[in-house]
Amino acid sequence: QSKAAAKDVRQAAYHSLCKLSNKEALGVLVQGIDGKDLEVVARAARKTKPTELIDAALDRLKKLIAGLPSIKDKKKQGEEVRRAMELIYIVSNAISPATRKFLQHCVVSSDDLQKIKSSPGGLDIVESAVQALSADPESTKFLIQQRDNVPVGCFNEVLGKGLESLTPKEFYKTFSPYINRSANKHTPEYRRHEMVREVLLAYYAHYRTWVRNVPCKPLDIAWLNDAIVVDDLELAVALAQPKHAGVTQYIDAKLADPKALSKMEWGVALAMIAIGHPKATEYVIEKLTATLKKKGAYESYQWCHLASRLNTDALPALESLAGDPKLGDGAGDRLIDAITEI
């Protein structure tokens, strides 16, 4: 505890020095990053943007990374990699053109850096560089262009930048090739496939489940068309859009074959409500009735939440169901809450 307290005191002192702009303060900070206090200085410098310290850290970072391949002792090499990551943490406080150029060089040189197999190793340096650049608006285009060169673990960062900056058509054109359903598990191709798919599955979910009347940037309709063609029910209902005849027909076909829905009934119902499917009310009330009459059925909470998103045309049927004496304990109250919300 005494060591932790002493570390906190040093960090507070360094933080104060970062706010000063004189040679004496810089000298102490540079002494800190050259010694055992690098991590403490890195944390102290966060959000203070001390320009002179960042310049000094960048100079040391370049020299350190250049010398890593010549270190034969893996333990020593790992320690130097850890120092490099702390220096990246410092220079990411305010990314100058020189810092941007060097961090981008680290990404471009990803294959060479990943040959450093210490723990931590070169992969960790590249990932730190990508994370730093992801906070730099001027590096967005670069990261998207380098999407095949960034480590798989950072691919989500690039996906996020694509969603933010590309048009729906550009995002589809750029990232749809990563949907690869034949990729073998535990391969980079499969992980990228899963990351893209997870983004697509989650994109509308928050708005449909919890938010009302708040539009979000639409995805290109080609994603939905592709999901229907390959019969990916989970993805198709996640991406379902109003006035899309293909998805309405696709859902109708699934409703005609209950086994085809498997465990997707709730997701299908959510999509039906979102797109204004003509059978949405009928389907939700059917499922709601079944779950409300089961004693202690947890699913009834989910279906009551969905019922609360129906329009006023559903009220007569819901009010009639609320008065059914066969409902399970507390089921009527949950349903009344849904009716009140409508």
Side-chain angles (χ1 to χ4, degrees), residues 10 67 69 86 194 218 238 270 317 320 324 330:
R10 294 202 310 280
E86 294 294 350
E194 283 293 286
L270 181 62
S320 175
D324 191 329

Side-chain angles (χ1 to χ4, degrees), residues 46 85 88-89 92-93 95 103 106-107 123-137 139 142-143 150-151 153-158 161:
R46 195 64 181 160
M85 293 167 65
I88 290 175
Y89 193 80
S92 66
N93 275 288
I95 296 183
L103 293 178
C106 290
V107 176
L123 173 61
D124 299 282
I125 291 176
V126 180
E127 289 181 342
S128 295
V130 171
Q131 289 169 4
L133 290 171
S134 68
D136 174 38
S139 292
F142 167 81
L143 288 174
V150 301
C154 295
F155 191 68
N156 266 333
E157 299 276 359
V158 182
K161 290 301 170 185

Side-chain angles (χ1 to χ4, degrees), residues 57-116:
L58 178 60
D59 179 64
R60 283 152 177 77
L61 176 62
K62 290 178 179 179
K63 293 176 181 177
L64 193 156
I65 290 180
L68 284 174
S70 63
I71 301 175
K72 303 305 178 184
D73 185 320
K74 292 300 179 185
K75 182 179 179 181
K76 175 63 177 176
Q77 193 178 55
E79 291 171 353
E80 292 298 285
V81 167
R82 187 171 284 105
R83 291 185 65 82
M85 293 167 65
E86 294 294 350
L87 289 169
I88 290 175
Y89 193 80
I90 292 175
V91 301
S92 66
N93 275 288
I95 296 183
S96 65
T99 298
R100 182 179 301 113
K101 181 179 179 180
F102 182 72
L103 293 178
Q104 290 181 356
H105 171 73
C106 290
V107 176
V108 173
S109 306
S110 175
D111 289 345
D112 289 334
L113 282 171
Q114 290 187 58
K115 292 176 183 177
I116 299 171

Side-chain angles (χ1 to χ4, degrees), residues 286-303:
E286 175 191 334
K287 295 298 177 183
L288 178 62
T289 301
T291 57
L292 285 174
K293 291 184 178 181
K294 293 179 182 178
K295 186 175 181 180
Y298 173 76
E299 293 84 357
S300 66
Y301 288 94
Q302 294 180 307
W303 286 101

Side-chain angles (χ1 to χ4, degrees), residues 125-281:
I125 291 176
V126 180
E127 289 181 342
S128 295
V130 171
Q131 289 169 4
L133 290 171
S134 68
D136 174 38
E138 293 188 39
S139 292
T140 294
K141 185 176 180 180
F142 167 81
L143 288 174
I144 294 172
Q145 291 173 338
Q146 291 292 319
R147 60 190 179 277
D148 289 330
N149 209 32
V150 301
V152 176
C154 295
F155 191 68
N156 266 333
E157 299 276 359
V158 182
L159 269 174
K161 290 301 170 185
L163 273 176
E164 292 174 8
S165 63
L166 300 177
T167 67
K169 283 190 178 299
E170 289 171 340
F171 182 73
Y172 174 78
K173 183 179 179 180
T174 303
F175 292 101
S176 61
Y178 295 97
I179 291 291
N180 182 1
R181 293 176 173 83
S182 63
N184 294 324
K185 287 188 175 182
H186 311 300
T187 63
E189 292 77 18
Y190 181 79
R191 289 183 64 189
R192 288 189 174 92
H193 160 80
E194 283 293 286
M195 288 179 187
V196 175
R197 197 168 179 278
E198 285 170 8
V199 166
L200 298 175
L201 288 171
Y203 190 72
Y204 293 120
H206 173 71
Y207 291 89
R208 290 179 175 174
T209 307
W210 305 111
V211 183
R212 293 177 186 268
N213 304 319
V214 178
C216 63
K217 178 181 174 181
L219 294 171
D220 193 279
I221 205 68
W223 291 108
L224 173 58
N225 295 336
D226 290 351
I228 293 173
V229 167
V230 299
D231 193 20
D232 188 335
L233 175 61
E234 185 180 22
L235 194 53
V237 298
L239 299 174
Q241 291 292 295
K243 300 179 181 179
H244 188 287
V247 76
T248 300
Q249 295 170 3
Y250 180 69
I251 290 175
D252 285 341
K254 297 299 180 182
L255 292 175
D257 180 14
K259 290 183 179 179
L261 294 181
S262 184
K263 296 180 180 180
M264 284 295 300
E265 292 94 342
W266 194 84
V268 169
L270 181 62
M272 292 172 73
I273 294 171
I275 67 175
H277 191 287
K279 297 179 181 177
T281 297

